[in-house]
Amino acid sequence: MNTQDLIVVMKTAQLGNISAAAAQLDMQVATASAAIKRVEKHLGFQLFVRSTRSLRLSKQGETYLPICEQALALLDNGKKQVLDNDNEIDGELRLTAPSDFGRNILLPWLDELLDEYPKLALKLILNDHNLDFYRDGVDIALRYGAPEDSSFYGFKICDVPLLLCASTEYIEKQGTPKDHEELSEHQGLFFLIRGSKFDTWKLTKNEQTYKVVLKGRRTSNDADVVKRWCAQGAGISLRSAIDVADQLEQGVVQSILNDYRVECKPLWLICPSKQMINPSVRVLRDKLRVYCQALVEKAERYK
């Protein structure tokens, strides 16, 4: 039996008129009348005694309506309890994130989240391969770039600028490139993306875009390795502002060619469906937006 039909019955009994009940429930009179007939057919008896001018409860209707009212109240109560429980920050947060970002930046934020919400548990998978929720057994993913699958649902955390970085040691030994042409003569440190070496960098200056192909002897599929090579003076790397913010502040590396602009990479929190968005995911999203934006702004100050 449809609960909406029962609501029509209750409203009609309250007002003593199908037309008035239909008006209050914002439906056509014929729709309200059909709802009452469906309930009566399901029950096997008439709820109302009808005449051309009036409508009143039948004897069976007088017995049934208080029970119906209690049942609807019970269902409404159950709905409220479920919604209240859904607003709790609890359960398991199953998240995948890029290896370097997760290990060196995200981890303390997640520890803070768990301290703040004692009922929350965490499953963290760190990897850099193509996103597959079912293979990795996760519900949400933190990834650079908008969702490629149109069926996925996501939140944009922030736009993350890319910066050209080198250590002080490297700059002292090899000098600072003055423009994109000199950059191509320097040693690049490359990240392997889905099996392809990311050794062509796009730089823009005065609305002119240049594709710079670098030479380099070091390539890795682990961003943390590239980060260490850069800090050790092995070459120049193209790094996200979030990743390099603390190293810029500490003077471990320097941002170079700042009169050029390098593309931004959007950071997204992605779910396989909208139904996966719960209070825990929203709390994580809000914290990520605050912390990531703070790191972007720090990188801008120290570059």
Side-chain angles (χ1 to χ4, degrees), residues 222-236:
D222 190 325
D224 189 45
V225 172
V226 177
K227 181 177 184 177
R228 294 186 187 196
W229 282 337
C230 185
Q232 292 165 6
I236 296 173

PDB file of all heavy atoms in Angstrom, residues 222-236:
ATOM      1  N   ASP A 222      57.224   7.160  -9.285  1.00  0.00           N
ATOM      2  CA  ASP A 222      56.934   7.575  -7.912  1.00  0.00           C
ATOM      3  C   ASP A 222      57.324   9.041  -7.758  1.00  0.00           C
ATOM      4  O   ASP A 222      58.502   9.399  -7.855  1.00  0.00           O
ATOM      5  CB  ASP A 222      57.719   6.706  -6.926  1.00  0.00           C
ATOM      6  CG  ASP A 222      57.288   6.925  -5.478  1.00  0.00           C
ATOM      7  OD1 ASP A 222      56.941   8.078  -5.125  1.00  0.00           O
ATOM      8  OD2 ASP A 222      57.295   5.961  -4.698  1.00  0.00           O
ATOM      9  N   ALA A 223      56.331   9.892  -7.512  1.00  0.00           N
ATOM     10  CA  ALA A 223      56.584  11.329  -7.404  1.00  0.00           C
ATOM     11  C   ALA A 223      57.508  11.662  -6.244  1.00  0.00           C
ATOM     12  O   ALA A 223      58.236  12.662  -6.281  1.00  0.00           O
ATOM     13  CB  ALA A 223      55.265  12.086  -7.256  1.00  0.00           C
ATOM     14  N   ASP A 224      57.496  10.835  -5.194  1.00  0.00           N
ATOM     15  CA  ASP A 224      58.371  11.071  -4.051  1.00  0.00           C
ATOM     16  C   ASP A 224      59.841  10.923  -4.446  1.00  0.00           C
ATOM     17  O   ASP A 224      60.711  11.641  -3.945  1.00  0.00           O
ATOM     18  CB  ASP A 224      58.027  10.107  -2.922  1.00  0.00           C
ATOM     19  CG  ASP A 224      58.754  10.450  -1.629  1.00  0.00           C
ATOM     20  OD1 ASP A 224      58.790  11.638  -1.268  1.00  0.00           O
ATOM     21  OD2 ASP A 224      59.289   9.531  -0.987  1.00  0.00           O
ATOM     22  N   VAL A 225      60.123   9.992  -5.363  1.00  0.00           N
ATOM     23  CA  VAL A 225      61.493   9.815  -5.845  1.00  0.00           C
ATOM     24  C   VAL A 225      61.944  11.057  -6.617  1.00  0.00           C
ATOM     25  O   VAL A 225      63.061  11.561  -6.423  1.00  0.00           O
ATOM     26  CB  VAL A 225      61.593   8.557  -6.735  1.00  0.00           C
ATOM     27  CG1 VAL A 225      62.961   8.468  -7.403  1.00  0.00           C
ATOM     28  CG2 VAL A 225      61.332   7.298  -5.909  1.00  0.00           C
ATOM     29  N   VAL A 226      61.073  11.559  -7.489  1.00  0.00           N
ATOM     30  CA  VAL A 226      61.390  12.775  -8.248  1.00  0.00           C
ATOM     31  C   VAL A 226      61.615  13.945  -7.303  1.00  0.00           C
ATOM     32  O   VAL A 226      62.531  14.761  -7.494  1.00  0.00           O
ATOM     33  CB  VAL A 226      60.258  13.094  -9.253  1.00  0.00           C
ATOM     34  CG1 VAL A 226      60.547  14.389 -10.003  1.00  0.00           C
ATOM     35  CG2 VAL A 226      60.076  11.938 -10.241  1.00  0.00           C
ATOM     36  N   LYS A 227      60.802  14.005  -6.262  1.00  0.00           N
ATOM     37  CA  LYS A 227      60.930  15.065  -5.250  1.00  0.00           C
ATOM     38  C   LYS A 227      62.305  15.009  -4.571  1.00  0.00           C
ATOM     39  O   LYS A 227      62.963  16.031  -4.379  1.00  0.00           O
ATOM     40  CB  LYS A 227      59.803  14.884  -4.221  1.00  0.00           C
ATOM     41  CG  LYS A 227      59.754  15.894  -3.106  1.00  0.00           C
ATOM     42  CD  LYS A 227      58.542  15.594  -2.235  1.00  0.00           C
ATOM     43  CE  LYS A 227      58.358  16.618  -1.136  1.00  0.00           C
ATOM     44  NZ  LYS A 227      57.133  16.336  -0.343  1.00  0.00           N
ATOM     45  N   ARG A 228      62.763  13.813  -4.242  1.00  0.00           N
ATOM     46  CA  ARG A 228      64.066  13.652  -3.579  1.00  0.00           C
ATOM     47  C   ARG A 228      65.218  13.988  -4.530  1.00  0.00           C
ATOM     48  O   ARG A 228      66.199  14.620  -4.126  1.00  0.00           O
ATOM     49  CB  ARG A 228      64.204  12.223  -3.052  1.00  0.00           C
ATOM     50  CG  ARG A 228      63.216  11.901  -1.951  1.00  0.00           C
ATOM     51  CD  ARG A 228      63.461  10.530  -1.355  1.00  0.00           C
ATOM     52  NE  ARG A 228      62.423  10.164  -0.410  1.00  0.00           N
ATOM     53  CZ  ARG A 228      62.530   9.181   0.470  1.00  0.00           C
ATOM     54  NH1 ARG A 228      63.646   8.467   0.526  1.00  0.00           N
ATOM     55  NH2 ARG A 228      61.544   8.895   1.287  1.00  0.00           N
ATOM     56  N   TRP A 229      65.105  13.552  -5.766  1.00  0.00           N
ATOM     57  CA  TRP A 229      66.143  13.888  -6.753  1.00  0.00           C
ATOM     58  C   TRP A 229      66.298  15.402  -6.871  1.00  0.00           C
ATOM     59  O   TRP A 229      67.413  15.920  -6.928  1.00  0.00           O
ATOM     60  CB  TRP A 229      65.788  13.303  -8.108  1.00  0.00           C
ATOM     61  CG  TRP A 229      66.066  11.839  -8.256  1.00  0.00           C
ATOM     62  CD1 TRP A 229      66.955  11.089  -7.540  1.00  0.00           C
ATOM     63  CD2 TRP A 229      65.450  10.949  -9.194  1.00  0.00           C
ATOM     64  NE1 TRP A 229      66.927   9.781  -7.968  1.00  0.00           N
ATOM     65  CE2 TRP A 229      66.027   9.662  -8.983  1.00  0.00           C
ATOM     66  CE3 TRP A 229      64.487  11.092 -10.185  1.00  0.00           C
ATOM     67  CZ2 TRP A 229      65.652   8.552  -9.732  1.00  0.00           C
ATOM     68  CZ3 TRP A 229      64.114   9.994 -10.939  1.00  0.00           C
ATOM     69  CH2 TRP A 229      64.689   8.732 -10.712  1.00  0.00           C
ATOM     70  N   CYS A 230      65.151  16.077  -6.906  1.00  0.00           N
ATOM     71  CA  CYS A 230      65.189  17.540  -7.054  1.00  0.00           C
ATOM     72  C   CYS A 230      65.869  18.174  -5.842  1.00  0.00           C
ATOM     73  O   CYS A 230      66.732  19.052  -5.992  1.00  0.00           O
ATOM     74  CB  CYS A 230      63.771  18.080  -7.210  1.00  0.00           C
ATOM     75  SG  CYS A 230      63.688  19.847  -7.540  1.00  0.00           S
ATOM     76  N   ALA A 231      65.505  17.741  -4.637  1.00  0.00           N
ATOM     77  CA  ALA A 231      66.094  18.300  -3.420  1.00  0.00           C
ATOM     78  C   ALA A 231      67.593  18.024  -3.341  1.00  0.00           C
ATOM     79  O   ALA A 231      68.355  18.807  -2.771  1.00  0.00           O
ATOM     80  CB  ALA A 231      65.394  17.724  -2.192  1.00  0.00           C
ATOM     81  N   GLN A 232      68.034  16.921  -3.941  1.00  0.00           N
ATOM     82  CA  GLN A 232      69.455  16.544  -3.916  1.00  0.00           C
ATOM     83  C   GLN A 232      70.283  17.231  -5.001  1.00  0.00           C
ATOM     84  O   GLN A 232      71.492  17.037  -5.076  1.00  0.00           O
ATOM     85  CB  GLN A 232      69.571  15.023  -4.069  1.00  0.00           C
ATOM     86  CG  GLN A 232      69.032  14.252  -2.871  1.00  0.00           C
ATOM     87  CD  GLN A 232      68.808  12.773  -3.183  1.00  0.00           C
ATOM     88  OE1 GLN A 232      69.168  12.304  -4.267  1.00  0.00           O
ATOM     89  NE2 GLN A 232      68.212  12.059  -2.248  1.00  0.00           N
ATOM     90  N   GLY A 233      69.611  18.030  -5.854  1.00  0.00           N
ATOM     91  CA  GLY A 233      70.356  18.776  -6.861  1.00  0.00           C
ATOM     92  C   GLY A 233      70.595  18.032  -8.153  1.00  0.00           C
ATOM     93  O   GLY A 233      71.507  18.379  -8.911  1.00  0.00           O
ATOM     94  N   ALA A 234      69.757  17.018  -8.451  1.00  0.00           N
ATOM     95  CA  ALA A 234      69.974  16.202  -9.656  1.00  0.00           C
ATOM     96  C   ALA A 234      69.409  16.833 -10.922  1.00  0.00           C
ATOM     97  O   ALA A 234      69.723  16.388 -12.032  1.00  0.00           O
ATOM     98  CB  ALA A 234      69.363  14.812  -9.459  1.00  0.00           C
ATOM     99  N   GLY A 235      68.555  17.859 -10.778  1.00  0.00           N
ATOM    100  CA  GLY A 235      67.985  18.472 -11.971  1.00  0.00           C
ATOM    101  C   GLY A 235      66.796  19.358 -11.648  1.00  0.00           C
ATOM    102  O   GLY A 235      66.560  19.721 -10.489  1.00  0.00           O
ATOM    103  N   ILE A 236      66.049  19.695 -12.696  1.00  0.00           N
ATOM    104  CA  ILE A 236      64.872  20.562 -12.577  1.00  0.00           C
ATOM    105  C   ILE A 236      63.619  19.701 -12.712  1.00  0.00           C
ATOM    106  O   ILE A 236      63.545  18.834 -13.587  1.00  0.00           O
ATOM    107  CB  ILE A 236      64.890  21.653 -13.667  1.00  0.00           C
ATOM    108  CG1 ILE A 236      66.098  22.578 -13.466  1.00  0.00           C
ATOM    109  CG2 ILE A 236      63.597  22.468 -13.638  1.00  0.00           C
ATOM    110  CD1 ILE A 236      66.295  23.579 -14.584  1.00  0.00           C
TER     111      ILE A 236
END
